[in-house]
Amino acid sequence: MAELLVRLGSYGLGLTWKARLFDDEPHPAFARMTKASVDTGIPTLELLAMDAPYLQAVDGDFEGYAGGEPILTLREFDSSSWDVRTADAWVLSEIRRHYPDARPMTSDEWDATN
């Protein structure tokens, strides 16, 4: 997750995040992250500090909010791949620039990875 957020630069710094993991028994660090993000969310820098670099989420959504509205979802679904969902054209262009093998997904594909 940190790698993706770094690629987004200052865009991601103004977001707050809500974490949702689909693991019945997540690592304690991710359980704390999920619990801390329930109400108002976690600011980006705090989220990055909670996300230990040696841990990988498996089957989790990290939703970025601006002004209370969800604008970006990062979904890790197999501990090594990420899906990105946003309507922001700049974010999409940055993802494609840094990850040339990225491709658009249909809504059905997105729903199937959940």
Side-chain angles (χ1 to χ4, degrees), residues 8 19 40 57:
L8 298 179
T40 59

Side-chain angles (χ1 to χ4, degrees), residues 8-97:
L8 298 179
S10 63
Y11 178 93
L13 288 177
L15 301 178
T16 57
W17 296 88
K18 294 189 179 187
R20 186 172 51 139
L21 299 174
F22 304 109
D23 184 350
D24 291 334
E25 296 183 31
H27 186 281
F30 289 120
R32 284 190 300 275
M33 183 186 298
T34 301
K35 184 177 179 182
S37 72
V38 169
D39 294 323
T40 59
I42 303 170
T44 299
L45 293 177
E46 187 177 329
L47 178 73
L48 290 171
M50 294 178 85
D51 182 29
Y54 57 88
L55 296 176
Q56 291 183 322
V58 176
D59 296 330
D61 282 357
F62 298 87
E63 296 176 320
Y65 288 76
E69 296 295 319
I71 60 167
L72 174 64
T73 302
L74 305 176
R75 175 177 287 166
E76 187 168 13
F77 61 90
D78 71 359
S79 80
S80 64
S81 297
W82 287 89
D83 291 336
V84 177
R85 184 177 203 172
T86 185
D88 189 295
W90 182 85
V91 171
L92 293 173
S93 70
E94 282 300 291
I95 294 298
R96 288 186 184 122
R97 185 169 72 90

